[in-house]
Amino acid sequence: MKKRTLGKSGLEVSALGLGCMSMSFGYGPAADKQEMIALIRSAVEQGVTFFDTAEIYGPFTNEELVGEALAPFREQVVIATKFGFDCDSGKPGDLNSQPEHIKQVVEASLKRLKTDTIDLLYQHRVDPNVPIEDVAGTVKELIQQGKVKHFGLSEAGAQTIRRAHAVQPVTALQSEYSLWWREPEAEVLPTLEELGIGFVPFSPLGKGFLTGKINEETKFDSTDFRNQVPRFSEGNRKANQVLVDLIGRFAEQKKITPAQVALAWLLAQKPWIVPIPGTTKLPRLHENNGAASVQLTTEDLRELERAASKITVQGARYPENLQKRVGR
């Protein structure tokens, strides 16, 4: 698989990474651990070198899975993980980016990931109670100690990115971005381009919706996060089907799949964008990775743009309590 560099940092990774969250958390019951180890190792064999996890996924079990799966390949791969939640308090949804807490989380993550250093450490969500300068300064110390190599932010707004970057250069921002969530184009992408920061879109397939495998009649497991997402209400899924149909028609013309169209579109936006689609299924992994070799022409992109610009996607991407935590 082709490689990309995240901004000016020199951190080189595969053009597509693998988001590992759904293997343990978020989209229904955790998948079988041995099957997921086999899937992660298959991704390595297919040229994926960039793997994304976080302490909150589980909590903790996803880091353990990723650490075990990648131990034989540790020198070949880049592991990204995240701090920022209070997983030990019994209230794992509470934010905590206090400097001492960050240090404790990193020590625990290193053990779970079976490694001496974290390649890319993100603040998972901006903590309004801790100045971002203090967060960046703490990560800077961890980098000086050799425990972390690169600093990242997740779902941060443009001003926060600038303030953090002034203290410790930010290697990558991770946020949602896809054909059905394009808000980063307004302020975030220009800021990243100016500062030389890479962009790692999560949910590049719209939490599965852009694959064409979900419709208004789809029933999610009771533990699936999508049950809480306004965009995934039955009515909004029905209304948003028009975008999926557009991508599906385009995929038929190109003789590829809708997922490959959605990922290739992202890859074509900027050379420093590295999407991290997640999956628990081997055929989907092959399909997603196939997008890295899809070349969309300028005319293809114009055609998609023209058609997509006429569609207004219905429904918020987060319930209100979670929406407050993004873009700060």
Side-chain angles (χ1 to χ4, degrees), residues 275-291:
I276 48 166
T279 186
T280 57
K281 299 179 179 74
L282 207 49
R284 294 285 85 78
L285 176 70
H286 282 281
E287 178 187 342
N288 291 346
N289 289 341

Side-chain angles (χ1 to χ4, degrees), residues 7-212:
K8 293 177 183 166
S9 66
L11 181 59
E12 191 180 66
V13 294
S14 50
L16 287 166
L18 181 62
C20 299
M21 179 186 85
S22 63
M23 299 175 189
S24 310
F25 169 90
Y27 292 99
D32 178 81
K33 187 176 182 183
Q34 293 310 312
E35 284 178 19
M36 293 306 97
I37 287 172
L39 187 138
I40 290 170
R41 291 178 178 173
S42 177
V44 176
E45 286 160 18
Q46 292 174 47
V48 175
T49 66
F50 188 34
F51 294 84
D52 185 87
T53 182
E55 62 153 358
I56 191 82
Y57 301 160
F60 312 129
T61 52
N62 198 246
E63 283 188 328
E64 289 165 359
L65 165 70
V66 169
E68 186 175 336
L70 293 176
F73 313 100
R74 185 63 189 98
E75 297 309 306
Q76 298 162 237
V77 298
V78 169
I79 298 176
T81 192
K82 310 176 196 77
F83 66 85
F85 287 101
D86 206 338
C87 295
D88 297 315
S89 68
K91 298 179 186 171
D94 287 358
L95 296 174
N96 187 348
S97 282
Q98 296 292 341
E100 279 312 306
H101 183 70
I102 296 171
K103 292 172 188 173
Q104 289 162 9
V105 169
V106 164
E107 292 301 333
S109 289
L110 286 168
K111 288 192 180 76
R112 287 190 289 268
L113 292 166
K114 301 183 187 296
T115 188
D116 299 325
T117 184
I118 293 164
D119 298 301
L120 175 56
L121 181 69
Y122 294 102
Q123 182 190 37
H124 208 148
R125 291 290 183 272
V126 175
D127 185 340
N129 299 316
V130 184
I132 195 66
E133 290 81 1
D134 294 356
V135 174
T138 304
V139 177
K140 185 173 193 160
E141 280 178 46
L142 291 164
I143 290 171
Q144 288 164 348
Q145 291 164 13
K147 292 175 181 177
V148 173
K149 290 184 182 173
H150 294 269
F151 175 38
L153 297 171
S154 180
E155 294 276 31
Q159 291 315 113
T160 300
I161 295 165
R162 288 182 186 282
R163 287 169 53 200
H165 191 69
V167 176
Q168 167 60 42
V170 176
T171 292
L173 175 81
Q174 180 176 129
S175 286
E176 185 167 354
Y177 183 41
S178 70
L179 271 165
W180 85 331
W181 179 254
R182 298 180 60 176
E183 189 186 68
E185 292 171 356
E187 285 189 7
V188 167
L189 283 174
T191 303
L192 301 182
E193 185 140 48
E194 178 196 332
L195 299 176
I197 299 171
F199 189 40
V200 178
F202 69 78
S203 298
L205 299 174
K207 298 180 170 60
F209 192 70
L210 301 182
T211 64

Side-chain angles (χ1 to χ4, degrees), residues 233-252:
S233 74
E234 200 173 307
N236 284 334
R237 273 183 273 160
K238 185 176 182 179
N240 293 330
Q241 186 64 37
V242 63
L243 179 61
V244 177
D245 292 344
L246 161 68
I247 295 168
R249 288 194 299 274
F250 195 85
E252 274 179 36

Side-chain angles (χ1 to χ4, degrees), residues 212-230:
K213 303 283 193 296
I214 293 170
N215 61 31
E216 63 186 287
E217 287 160 17
T218 302
K219 297 283 182 269
F220 298 115
D221 183 88
S222 61
T223 59
D224 193 310
F225 167 70
R226 289 171 290 194
N227 288 315
Q228 304 169 43
V229 176

